[in-house]
Amino acid sequence: MLDIQLLRNDAEAVAKRLATRGYVLDVQLFTRLEGERKAIQTRTQALQAKRNSTSKAIGAAKARGEDVAPIMAEVASLGEALAADELALAKIQADMNTLLSGIPNLPDPAVPVGGSEADNVEVARWGMPRVFDFAVNDHVDVGTPLGLDFETAAKVAGARFSLLRGGMARLHRALAQFMLDTHTAQHGYTEVYVPYLVNAQAMHGTGQLPKFEEDLFAVPRAGLEQMYLIPTAEVPVTNMVREQILARDALPLRFVAHTPCFRSEAGAYGRDTRGMIRQHQFDKVELVQIVEPEQSDAALEELTGHAEAVLRLLELPYRKMALCTRDMGFSSQRTYDLEVWLPAQNTYREISSCSSFGSFQARRMQARYRNEQGKNELVHTLNGSGLAVGRALVAVLENFQQADGSVVIPEVLRAYMGGLVLLKRDA
RNA sequence: GGAGAGGUGGCAGAGUGGUCGAAUGCGCCUGACUCGAAAUCAGGUAUACAUGAAUAAUGUAUCGUGGGUUCAAAUCCCACCCUCUCCGCCA
């Protein structure tokens, strides 16, 4: 959520900045709502003040044993007007809230302005794509003989699910364990285990609701409020600090969580249908930081570096992209995507997305800290994949495949595989 | 699933219709005392929103959440959520 003061002070300027990410702010609507709100709120509060003071007078008069009938008559007429105004105020505040909740974050001035993915800017590249002396297979062809099974997954669940067996399942687990251990031991993150089902407030806090409900899996519960399967650990982990006032010396908070992620992928029909690139369920190791505002720029670089470290340790070539205004997520103020080299697609594909959100999520969550002046101030939040486990598996299969169909296990993963060096059929 | 207890400020804990945003204690902050500290004493110490240049002042709202009764609700009524205890079930 944006600071409403920004809109009050200069809605046109805000609209201009939002336009760079393709969002059309209805300035007229805002101005109208704000005008109405101001009038109604001022009037309502004046009436409430009148009622309160009169009620107190009644109490005082009664205590003195005086006749309260005249004052009662005075306040009686207030009731209806007040009730009507309170109702109108609640309505307009709800309307304003709906409008505000649907406005995306302002892009940081450093974000390249652009209209599509094509305008993202490559800022770094690491590793040399391997030169193959045989025809490369994609991860489906490499993985299927090794235990990657989409047919059975489709039977028990449907499209966009996968099932792993044997060494393939173990390699998947090894990747997640390795990432978790790297971030806790090398990068100073605290491992957390979190709910995979969350309530609507949590989804609202990080920005998935109200706008992107169709991307989520909702779980109805008889007689109870429905819950949502998390689309990323960002939701439960970031919301850990909701409605909290943190001590300054508690910051920064750094959390890492390994969770499954569930996405409906509505609107992605026909896209990445082959393989496990785009699934309804995938595992991800997520990094989350809660920091002081002054630290958030540095924290984004740092956090992105932590995700990069995993790619380097896995010896996977990648490039770092600064997303342009139009390509960033709703809540993001600035985003780097890390794209891993996939030889079969002969291209780089997203494997991590690292974003800073400024106070956008904190405002929705009411997550604050006591700053140096002793004032309560909204924290800044950041998160990034470190990394998407499913896509990391894809990358390992494709980049480390051998002519005979086996796959070399990256050195850092071998300890997690009981020392196994080569993943072969029947391994 | 059955039975019961409870949710009040950073914490503990009063408050059952009126001057209660809320006693008291602890904690914390400031000052006095002290060479300094402890002890003691005095004062202060919630959040959000509105009007506003304001971290001034004033007002409004908030005692789990949402509704209701009333001129007036922490206090009465209803629904829900959460926590705890016992029994049952269960990984």
Side-chain angles (χ1 to χ4, degrees):
Chain A
M1 198 125 74
L2 295 181
D3 184 352
I4 193 168
Q5 296 298 348
L6 285 176
L7 285 154
R8 285 181 184 149
N9 293 340
D10 196 349
E12 289 295 345
V14 172
K16 208 170 271 180
R17 284 178 69 187
L18 289 174
T20 65
R21 50 148 72 221
Y23 180 84
V24 180
L25 176 66
D26 191 339
V27 176
Q28 274 202 329
L29 174 63
F30 173 79
T31 310
R32 186 174 60 79
L33 283 178
E34 173 61 10
E36 285 176 26
R37 189 229 94 224
K38 194 164 172 171
I40 296 175
Q41 184 162 3
T42 309
R43 200 169 67 218
T44 307
Q45 291 190 352
L47 284 176
Q48 287 172 326
K50 179 92 194 294
R51 180 204 57 199
N52 289 348
S53 61
T54 313
S55 291
K56 278 186 184 177
I58 292 174
K62 266 193 167 172
R64 288 192 303 267
E66 294 169 9
D67 178 20
V68 294
I71 332 181
M72 293 280 274
E74 188 185 328
V75 82
S77 57
L78 273 179
E80 240 170 89
L82 184 56
D85 272 358
E86 281 178 340
L87 207 67
L89 181 61
K91 164 103 173 60
I92 196 124
Q93 282 177 331
D95 287 350
M96 185 60 101
N97 210 30
T98 302
L99 175 68
L100 243 40
S101 297
I103 300 175
N105 203 353
L106 287 175
D108 186 279
V111 173
V113 174
S116 78
E117 199 179 324
D119 297 314
N120 294 341
V121 175
E122 180 177 322
V123 293
R125 194 178 276 233
W126 185 90
M128 286 288 289
R130 179 176 149 206
V131 179
F132 290 86
D133 53 10
F134 57 93
V136 291
N137 282 311
D138 76 358
H139 70 279
V140 179
D141 291 332
V142 175
T144 302
L146 300 174
L148 183 55
D149 181 355
F150 294 103
E151 271 181 44
T152 307
K155 186 169 66 182
V156 301
R160 293 204 191 279
F161 284 93
S162 51
L163 192 151
L164 311 178
R165 299 171 198 264
M168 189 61 58
R170 189 175 191 182
L171 181 57
H172 182 262
R173 172 163 58 93
L175 280 163
Q177 303 280 309
F178 162 68
M179 292 176 198
L180 225 32
D181 285 348
T182 301
H183 295 306
T184 54
Q186 314 292 323
H187 302 149
Y189 288 77
T190 301
E191 182 174 350
V192 288
Y193 171 81
V194 294
Y196 301 160
L197 283 166
V198 298
N199 55 36
Q201 294 93 290
M203 286 291 186
H204 189 271
T206 32
Q208 282 75 18
L209 288 180
K211 247 192 153 170
F212 306 99
E213 180 149 28
E214 75 273 13
D215 296 338
L216 303 170
F217 282 107
V219 180
R221 296 185 300 166
L224 296 170
E225 260 181 66
Q226 72 174 6
M227 299 192 83
Y228 297 89
L229 281 162
I230 57 170
T232 159
E234 163 191 358
V235 180
V237 177
T238 310
N239 275 283
M240 283 167 67
V241 297
R242 75 177 295 118
E243 287 157 38
Q244 276 209 285
I245 299 173
L246 300 155
R248 198 165 89 92
D249 59 18
L251 302 177
L253 290 171
R254 295 192 183 91
F255 296 117
V256 58
H258 167 219
T259 72
C261 303
F262 303 93
R263 300 186 181 178
S264 76
E265 295 297 345
Y269 303 109
R271 204 157 15 124
D272 298 315
T273 48
R274 180 176 163 84
M276 58 186 304
I277 292 284
R278 190 175 302 277
Q279 304 268 279
H280 287 312
Q281 172 189 320
F282 63 94
D283 276 26
K284 185 154 60 70
V285 170
E286 184 77 357
L287 305 172
V288 172
Q289 291 203 24
I290 312 292
V291 305
E292 292 181 63
E294 302 74 47
Q295 301 304 316
S296 67
D297 285 346
L300 177 62
E301 301 301 326
E302 175 196 284
L303 183 147
T304 309
H306 295 152
E308 287 179 65
V310 173
L311 284 163
R312 293 180 192 216
L313 287 165
L314 288 171
E315 300 170 76
L316 292 168
Y318 70 90
R319 61 178 188 173
K320 176 180 171 185
M321 308 293 288
L323 294 199
C324 73
T325 46
R326 194 79 177 242
D327 207 28
M328 290 199 308
F330 177 79
S331 303
S332 175
Q333 160 176 304
R334 192 169 178 196
T335 298
Y336 289 120
D337 268 9
L338 298 179
E339 299 181 342
V340 69
W341 176 252
L342 292 186
Q345 294 194 8
N346 196 38
T347 187
Y348 290 91
R349 289 298 303 261
E350 178 187 342
I351 193 167
S352 171
S353 192
C354 303
S355 304
S356 65
F357 304 92
S359 57
F360 189 85
Q361 294 181 326
R363 186 169 295 104
R364 290 170 161 247
M365 296 188 298
Q366 279 306 302
R368 293 158 291 173
Y369 80 108
R370 216 173 286 283
N371 70 17
E372 223 165 348
Q373 290 79 45
K375 281 276 149 203
N376 295 333
E377 188 174 352
L378 294 167
V379 296
H380 278 195
T381 60
L382 303 100
N383 69 55
S385 351
L387 313 161
V389 179
R391 289 192 181 179
L393 182 69
V394 167
V396 167
L397 293 180
E398 294 201 3
N399 283 282
F400 290 86
Q401 62 181 295
Q402 306 299 304
D404 65 0
S406 63
V407 172
V408 171
I409 293 167
E411 221 170 298
V412 291
L413 297 182
R414 291 176 194 167
Y416 295 89
M417 299 286 290
L420 200 67
V421 174
L422 204 60
L423 193 59
K424 293 185 283 208
R425 227 190 167 103
D426 304 320

